Amino acid sequence: MSHVPGSKVSGSKVSDNRSFFANRFIRSILLSAVFLQFGIWVRNFAILLFVTEQTDKDPVAISLISVAEYAPIFIFSFIGGALADRWKPKRTMVLCDLLSAASVFVVLLALIYGGWQAIFFATLVSSILSQFSQPAGMKLFKLHVPESQIQMGMSMYQTIQAVFMILGPMLGTLVFFNFGIQAAVVMMGICFLLSGAVLTTLPQDRKTPLAQPARLSQDIKLGLRYVTSNKVFLYMGSFFLAAGLALGLINPLGVFVVTEHLGLTAEHLQWLTALNGVGMILGGIFVMALSKRMSPRTMLLVGFTFSSVAVAVIGSTGSMGLALVAQFFSGLLVPFIHIACQTMVMTHAEEAFVGRVSGILNPLFTGGMVLTMSLVGVLKANLPLTGLYWIAAGLFLIGAIGVMPLLRYKASTRVAASAAGFHS
């Protein structure tokens, strides 16, 4: 029998895909993500519309929603990461979902008795608990997914998020206008409970000897030393920050591209947003398909370099067609950056430090985004729109430069301080 060239590789790929979807952890974590994303988007838009209605579009009240969503990232992210490294990850995630559901039903009682301001509490508590749940989830990925499949797993997770970026606003709006805020709150609670129920099917947490430092502060110091002594994480910090600054700068400016450069009404922004979301979905699928052929470093370089080009085109063109194409490619490249970053955290961080590494790097991205978002008004009043987009393009280019030193490291290299220095 003659040998068919490439059949072994193809068979191996099919086998890898089968083993990936046969992984109980993968199935459970992705189903949990579907429930969580549904609950989060219903929460985001139902609360936004409710507060807008209750306060007659008071900008201060509306801005408090963002404060409740983003402030916990800075206050609790690193603490949550350090505790995720101490606590059992499965139990942490299940408990966070249950507490989120409980807080939502407390808010429901407040709404029934007239205290509508308690709605901010739902966003605040959910955001705080996510700072403990997310690093615990990354730790579980590290424990239960083979390293060769981590990038594929993160790609699927990113694709779910991208799908809900398109469907979520519509779902939240439909729920609020058809059923009201109380029904929306009940739906949030049910989604959190379903997520927690799915997570109970995960493999049991491992029993580990109690060899932890006596104080949380010691854990935090060890985490900081671990990150600052690791060149890979230092480079990653630079492009996490660059990406956050760039995205925070351009996200609020889309409406000005439509109205000033393209000469259209603000309603046309929905087409740019929709194409960006479609691009993100396809980007997640592409990353999944390329996960065996392209290293995370190469993905980062591609993502940052071509994002720079796409952003520069969006901010410079007066053609609707070209703007739509550039917006699509901008969305397409987001998963290349996001998934590659998360994959590198999980593959380069030792198991005992995954939570703390995530807790340090993620706030750099969020902090950069919030900083430039807060400055957009002042910058827009003093700089031309094209100039702002070129600044964002330059930041993406800085991100690409930050990736380049990592290309010399082999995929299997772990640039981490010795175990003796951090586990003693």
Side-chain angles (χ1 to χ4, degrees), residues 156-194:
M156 294 201 69
Y157 197 87
Q158 170 76 32
T159 303
I160 290 171
Q161 291 181 321
V163 168
F164 275 94
M165 283 188 72
I166 296 175
L167 298 180
M170 179 179 64
L171 291 171
T173 303
L174 286 174
V175 169
F176 176 74
F177 283 117
N178 286 282
F179 304 105
I181 188 62
Q182 292 184 14
V185 169
V186 170
M187 197 170 292
M188 293 177 223
I190 291 172
C191 286
F192 289 133
L193 288 175
L194 288 172

Side-chain angles (χ1 to χ4, degrees), residues 3-4 72 83 116 132 224 251 255 265 274 285 329 387:
H3 175 68
V4 180
L83 289 174
W116 72 265
F132 298 87
L224 287 169
N251 280 346
V255 67
T265 61
I285 294 171
F329 277 100

Side-chain angles (χ1 to χ4, degrees), residues 78-79 81-87 211-226 352-353 356 360 422:
F78 190 46
I79 296 173
L83 289 174
D85 286 334
R86 281 182 161 224
W87 294 345
Q212 298 170 340
R215 292 174 300 179
L216 180 62
S217 60
Q218 190 175 346
D219 262 355
I220 292 174
K221 288 177 183 177
L222 288 173
L224 287 169
R225 283 177 52 206
Y226 183 79
F353 289 90
R356 279 164 286 182
I360 292 171
F422 290 100

Side-chain angles (χ1 to χ4, degrees), residues 16-204:
D16 282 347
N17 289 339
R18 284 177 180 170
S19 67
F20 177 79
F21 289 106
N23 189 323
R24 185 174 64 173
F25 170 81
I26 291 291
R27 295 198 305 269
S28 297
I29 205 76
L30 293 179
L31 182 57
S32 167
V34 171
F35 288 129
L36 276 180
Q37 287 294 311
F38 191 94
I40 286 168
W41 280 100
V42 168
R43 179 199 73 190
N44 287 350
F45 269 78
I47 289 177
L48 174 64
L49 294 168
F50 177 70
V51 171
T52 301
E53 184 181 89
Q54 289 289 316
T55 64
D56 193 26
K57 303 178 183 178
D58 180 5
V60 175
I62 292 171
S63 68
L64 284 175
I65 300 173
S66 297
V67 172
E69 187 174 351
Y70 287 110
I73 296 175
F74 303 106
I75 300 170
F76 294 99
S77 181
F78 190 46
I79 296 173
L83 289 174
D85 286 334
R86 281 182 161 224
W87 294 345
K88 293 180 178 180
K90 173 187 172 182
R91 187 168 64 181
T92 299
M93 293 185 74
V94 172
L95 186 60
C96 285
D97 281 346
L98 293 178
L99 290 173
S100 291
S103 71
V104 164
F105 291 121
V106 168
V107 169
L108 178 62
L109 288 174
L111 288 173
I112 291 172
Y113 290 102
W116 72 265
Q117 292 86 350
I119 199 71
F120 293 106
F121 181 71
T123 300
L124 181 65
V125 171
S126 178
S127 184
I128 290 172
L129 291 170
S130 70
Q131 305 314 309
F132 298 87
S133 181
Q134 287 175 358
M138 292 190 70
K139 196 172 184 72
L140 282 175
F141 256 97
K142 181 82 172 180
L143 288 169
H144 297 295
V145 180
E147 189 169 309
S148 62
Q149 296 178 349
I150 284 177
Q151 193 156 292
M152 188 184 297
M154 293 304 300
S155 301
M156 294 201 69
Y157 197 87
Q158 170 76 32
T159 303
I160 290 171
Q161 291 181 321
V163 168
F164 275 94
M165 283 188 72
I166 296 175
L167 298 180
M170 179 179 64
L171 291 171
T173 303
L174 286 174
V175 169
F176 176 74
F177 283 117
N178 286 282
F179 304 105
I181 188 62
Q182 292 184 14
V185 169
V186 170
M187 197 170 292
M188 293 177 223
I190 291 172
C191 286
F192 289 133
L193 288 175
L194 288 172
S195 173
V198 169
L199 291 174
T200 61
T201 66
L202 293 176
Q204 289 299 313

